[in-house]
Amino acid sequence: MSAGVRALTRRVLNRTLLERQLLTRRVSRTPREAIEHLVAMQAQVPNGPYVGLWARLENFRRDDLTSLLEGRDVVHATMLRGTQHLARGEDFGWLRATVATLVRSALAQPYYAAQIEGIDPDELGRAGRGMLTGRTLQRRELGDLLVHRFPGRSPGRLAEAFELLEALVHPPPHPIWGGWGHRRGTPVALADEWLSRPIADASQPETMVLRYLAAFGPASVMDVQAWSGMTRLREIVEGQRPRLRVFRDEQGAELFDLPDAPLGEPDAPAPVRFLPAFDNAVLGHRDRTRVISEENRRRIAPRASAGVPLFLVDGFVEGSWSLTRDQLRMAPFRPLTDAETAAVRDEATHLARFVAPDGTEPAIIMT
């Protein structure tokens, strides 16, 4: 690495991430524009995208996202890291094609392998497409049909395996859309039919890398791979090097960024923000110390697989929160100052009003 390459401090990376993730202040973008900028929003947990957009956008209402989903401008489907995300309908085709090999590789896991052993994947794909063509089914309904074609298997595993093979979307009605509770079932439809456009024929990793940097940069190759779930992206990034700026972090790791993307000011103020479980801002890098300390990451690690909603104080994760019908409970990871406590409670009050627009707000409790 050249001695002239600029080193970026952790606070510069933090403030830059907040700006790129629309968390420095609520912005006037539409939900569609925000989802496009973020490339894809994690949607593994019911209602997570609603809280994630509320944290980023001015005057966001739950119906704003629901109408996009009903209008097919935004889709919910399996994408990055083989998990469920929201993306613009126009982006889904190339994004799903880019991560298709990654998604399909999950079939080798014991969770699926025992149930599809001896089944030709192409045959499973053809059978599933025939059953879904022209209609939407609950995933369990699709599984029941598939098990008649492939007896002696688990209906649920067959349906999930088919979704790894073929690009599907989860259309409304779905409890995540506008409902506020737990998922009771997942409807599935063929993505090309739902969107009235074919899925892209070819992977577009160059596009994915550049879009990622716009929302998450500066970042290392390992960061891009951690966010996307893909491997062997070094060659893709190297191919873009002449068009990118190169920095390094405090440990000397090489970071890449778009040439005209601004960096954050280390002393810029950062508001308290409540983030849903698996939010992009926290999961977008392999080295997450720009937003959460190693100590706090280890603190939540035993619960992370189930999803941990978190809140930011001065731009960094300093606590978790949970919501029930009656309570919005916050658990700071360290003693907060009086000013920090007041700011956290104030933002929690706004969140309580958002999740309970009918006026039955949950009690706010700091543990």
Side-chain angles (χ1 to χ4, degrees):
M1 184 185 301
S2 169
V5 173
R6 178 181 172 184
L8 302 178
T9 66
R10 184 164 297 160
R11 283 191 68 88
V12 167
L13 291 173
N14 173 263
R15 288 332 195 231
T16 302
L17 177 65
L18 296 182
E19 285 284 349
R20 306 273 179 100
Q21 286 290 303
L22 314 180
L23 292 169
T24 299
R25 57 198 164 278
R26 287 183 167 89
V27 299
S28 59
R29 301 189 192 195
T30 66
R32 186 180 186 276
E33 291 169 340
I35 293 169
E36 176 182 10
H37 170 71
L38 297 172
V39 192
M41 283 193 75
Q42 175 68 248
Q44 195 80 359
V45 175
N47 309 315
Y50 290 88
V51 175
L53 289 169
W54 167 82
R56 291 168 164 88
L57 304 180
E58 288 182 346
N59 303 315
F60 173 71
R61 301 173 306 155
R62 283 151 55 174
D63 287 348
D64 295 337
L65 176 56
T66 301
S67 64
L68 288 177
L69 292 157
E70 291 174 342
R72 311 189 187 194
D73 295 299
V74 169
V75 296
H76 179 277
T78 300
M79 293 177 246
L80 302 165
R81 301 188 300 280
T83 59
Q84 297 175 20
H85 284 71
L86 300 185
R88 283 194 325 159
E90 296 172 18
D91 284 331
F92 176 71
W94 69 261
L95 189 54
R96 182 59 167 76
T98 301
V99 300
T101 300
L102 161 72
V103 172
R104 186 168 179 155
S105 69
L107 290 172
Q109 297 176 4
Y111 182 74
Y112 295 108
Q115 291 297 322
I116 63 172
E117 184 178 2
I119 296 177
D120 179 357
D122 291 337
E123 185 180 0
L124 176 58
R126 286 192 298 270
R129 281 195 69 89
M131 294 167 185
L132 266 185
T133 296
R135 59 178 175 171
T136 295
L137 295 174
Q138 289 289 317
R139 187 186 280 153
R140 64 177 180 273
E141 294 174 324
L142 176 62
D144 289 341
L145 293 175
L146 286 169
V147 82
H148 285 295
R149 175 66 181 79
F150 304 99
R153 319 284 176 144
S154 162
R157 295 296 85 76
L158 284 177
E160 292 169 359
F162 171 68
E163 189 168 351
L164 298 176
L165 293 167
E166 293 286 332
L168 305 184
V169 297
H170 308 144
H174 188 297
I176 198 172
W177 315 146
W180 206 256
H182 296 288
R183 191 175 304 164
R184 296 178 182 86
T186 300
V188 292
L190 297 171
D192 52 356
E193 286 193 345
W194 181 256
L195 293 169
S196 299
R197 65 170 68 93
I199 301 302
D201 292 329
S203 174
Q204 299 182 30
E206 295 85 0
T207 298
M208 184 185 71
V209 167
L210 295 177
R211 291 281 297 275
Y212 167 82
L213 292 177
F216 295 87
S220 70
V221 173
M222 297 299 289
D223 289 330
V224 188
Q225 294 184 163
W227 167 80
S228 65
M230 297 177 64
T231 59
R232 302 179 181 178
L233 291 179
R234 169 69 63 182
E235 182 178 350
I236 302 299
V237 176
E238 289 295 337
Q240 300 291 326
R241 183 184 286 270
R243 297 197 290 155
L244 301 176
R245 283 191 298 175
V246 180
F247 301 101
R248 59 184 175 88
D249 64 18
E250 292 175 324
Q251 288 70 47
E254 196 170 43
L255 306 176
F256 298 90
D257 203 7
L258 301 181
D260 56 351
L263 299 175
E265 294 294 331
D267 297 326
V272 170
R273 285 291 179 262
F274 282 74
L275 302 178
F278 305 117
D279 191 84
N280 301 46
V282 180
L283 295 187
H285 301 82
R286 182 173 186 245
D287 179 0
R288 300 174 187 170
T289 56
R290 69 182 68 195
V291 68
I292 182 170
S293 69
E294 269 299 300
E295 178 184 4
N296 285 340
R297 188 194 66 78
R298 289 194 296 270
R299 186 193 303 268
I300 67 171
R303 298 179 288 148
S305 61
V308 182
L310 302 167
F311 63 82
L312 308 180
V313 176
D314 190 31
F316 291 87
V317 171
E318 296 292 0
S320 64
W321 62 276
S322 61
L323 177 68
T324 64
R325 185 180 300 274
D326 302 320
Q327 295 182 350
L328 173 57
R329 185 178 292 270
M330 298 158 290
F333 293 157
R334 62 168 173 82
L336 302 178
T337 67
D338 289 345
E340 290 171 337
T341 298
V344 170
R345 285 189 172 276
D346 183 62
E347 185 70 357
T349 299
H350 292 302
L351 176 59
R353 291 171 182 164
F354 172 72
V355 300
D358 60 358
T360 57
E361 297 176 19
I364 297 171
I365 299 174
M366 183 89 77
T367 60

